[in-house]
Amino acid sequence: MNPCNCGYHNDLTHECKCSPAQIQRYISKISGPLLDRIDIHIDVPAVKVQELCAQENGEAPLTFAPVSYKRALYSFIALLEKQYTAMRK
C-alpha cells in the first residue's frame, strides 16, 4: 500500500509533495475492518531497477531464466488453473 497519493512519503530518494491532511485523508480511505486484518505493517524502501535486475552469485533473475524452466512453470500454472476450474464445477 502506498503511504500517500504520490507514493513518496518516507522515501529517501524522492520528496513527498502531499500535505499531512492529504496523507491522513488517503490513509483513512482504507476501511477499519480491513486494517484490523493486517497484523504487520512494514515500510519497504523502493528498489532501483538496476539493483533488481543485477545478477548475484552468478544466478540470473527469473525474467532471464532458461526457456525450459519457464515452460515448466507455465505448465504447472495451467495445471493449477484446470484443477481450480474443476473444483468450482
Side-chain angles (χ1 to χ4, degrees), residues 16-61:
C16 178
K17 296 180 177 19
C18 303
S19 69
Q22 287 175 316
I23 294 170
Q24 186 59 38
R25 187 174 38 234
Y26 182 79
I27 292 173
S28 67
K29 288 182 180 179
I30 301 171
S31 69
L34 179 63
L35 284 176
D36 290 343
R37 288 178 173 83
I38 300 173
D39 293 330
I40 300 173
H41 297 260
I42 300 173
D43 285 335
V44 180
V47 179
K48 294 180 182 178
V49 174
Q50 293 84 3
E51 293 175 15
L52 191 61
C53 293
Q55 293 185 3
E56 195 171 299
N57 297 332
E59 295 180 14

